[in-house]
Amino acid sequence: MHELTIRKNFDDANEDFKFYLNAADVLMPPRKAFEAAEAKEELFPDQEVWSLMTPEQQARAVELRTAIARSGLAEYGVTEQSLRVVMTENDGKNSFFLTQTGSGIDIGEETRTKECDPARSYHSVMLAHHVFQFKVGDTVYDSRMGMTSDVYDAKVADLYKRMKALSDSLPELQVELGELQDLQDHWTMLTGESRTETGRVKVRSEGDVDAGAGYLCSAFPLDGRYHIRVCPTVEIV
């Protein structure tokens, strides 16, 4: 009799456990939602940079990456895979940015192969709020405001670091070599910086130079030549 009572209590407790477990599956997010952000780290940031970020910054980077890839930028080829975290350092302070790899995107009209298209100019870019602005919760982000000369340098340094790590495997280098060629063939507008005293737009390119050198030049705000690009970038705070 005593054994039967114990057995019944055990069976009842087991049924209660299953009931609450099933309720949790319905009422709460799936278990993978609680996995540490580190599980996704190898997808898009440098390991060293990732380790310097706070857990909150890591979580925000993952959140922003998904939001950018689902924004109006998706129409122009921006995907989660094309976004990476880079770091700048000024006066001992580290700042982290989520930026697209390569020189950026061309927001020209359907005739994007045109040599000159006003739609891809700085003037047009700064009017295209629907393309570059997106919301995460109640916060509106503007992916034009993050691209500065320092961030451009950090992005190039990240690329060369990846190329060095893959230097023994040419097939695996194809993506990185394509990014480098893109940076050499185009000019990235520094949309996160103020214009020059004469009203021109600052632009950067790697050109045919050694790693880390690069060129800083300027263009007219209405310059819509084919090599002009804009690089979506947001700061992770």
Side-chain angles (χ1 to χ4, degrees):
M1 183 67 177
H2 180 65
E3 292 181 358
L4 290 176
T5 301
I6 293 176
R7 182 64 182 176
K8 183 178 185 305
N9 290 341
F10 175 81
D11 290 341
D12 289 344
N14 192 41
E15 289 300 316
D16 287 342
F17 174 77
K18 290 180 179 179
F19 172 79
Y20 289 117
L21 183 62
N22 290 333
D25 286 340
V26 173
L27 298 174
M28 297 180 67
R31 183 177 301 175
K32 66 180 181 179
F34 298 96
E35 292 177 354
E38 286 81 359
K40 299 184 179 181
E41 67 179 81
E42 63 184 23
L43 295 177
F44 64 105
D46 176 76
Q47 296 284 329
E48 182 179 356
V49 170
W50 187 257
S51 67
L52 295 173
M53 301 169 69
T54 65
E56 292 77 14
Q57 288 173 323
Q58 292 174 351
R60 180 56 55 86
V62 173
E63 188 177 36
L64 287 172
R65 185 174 183 244
T66 300
I68 292 175
R70 293 177 179 175
S71 71
L73 291 165
E75 178 185 349
Y76 299 95
V78 178
T79 65
E80 291 191 23
Q81 289 69 34
S82 69
L83 296 163
R84 284 184 64 82
V85 175
V86 298
M87 182 186 77
T88 63
E89 183 179 356
N90 289 296
D91 298 325
K93 178 186 177 183
N94 296 332
S95 298
F96 303 95
F97 298 82
L98 188 61
T99 185
Q100 190 191 23
T101 54
S103 64
I105 61 174
D106 176 4
I107 69 162
E109 299 293 344
E110 293 181 3
T111 53
R112 293 181 187 176
T113 56
K114 288 194 335 185
E115 180 60 29
C116 189
D117 185 349
R120 68 170 62 96
S121 69
Y122 175 87
H123 179 75
S124 177
V125 166
M126 300 314 285
L127 290 176
H129 305 307
H130 65 288
V131 175
F132 296 97
Q133 291 183 344
F134 62 95
K135 289 187 69 174
V136 176
D138 295 328
T139 304
V140 177
Y141 290 87
D142 192 328
S143 60
R144 295 167 293 192
M145 297 297 99
M147 179 45 61
T148 64
S149 195
D150 285 346
V151 174
Y152 185 92
D153 284 337
K155 181 169 72 168
V156 172
D158 173 70
L159 170 59
Y160 280 115
K161 187 172 183 178
R162 282 184 282 141
M163 292 180 68
K164 184 176 181 179
L166 296 172
S167 60
D168 293 333
S169 180
L170 187 59
E172 292 184 16
L173 264 174
Q174 293 307 310
V175 172
E176 286 73 18
L177 289 172
E179 289 178 30
L180 179 59
Q181 188 65 53
D182 184 39
L183 288 167
Q184 292 175 343
D185 291 345
H186 301 97
W187 292 89
T188 300
M189 292 183 284
L190 303 183
T191 49
E193 294 191 7
S194 58
R195 289 193 274 174
T196 68
E197 293 182 357
T198 57
R200 292 169 68 95
V201 181
K202 298 173 186 175
V203 294
R204 289 289 304 271
S205 175
E206 276 306 279
D208 188 15
V209 294
D210 294 332
Y215 291 126
L216 171 63
C217 195
S218 62
F220 290 109
L222 293 177
D223 190 340
R225 285 176 290 177
Y226 181 70
H227 60 270
I228 296 290
R229 296 289 184 269
V230 55
C231 185
T233 305
V234 293
E235 185 173 5
I236 302 166
V237 294

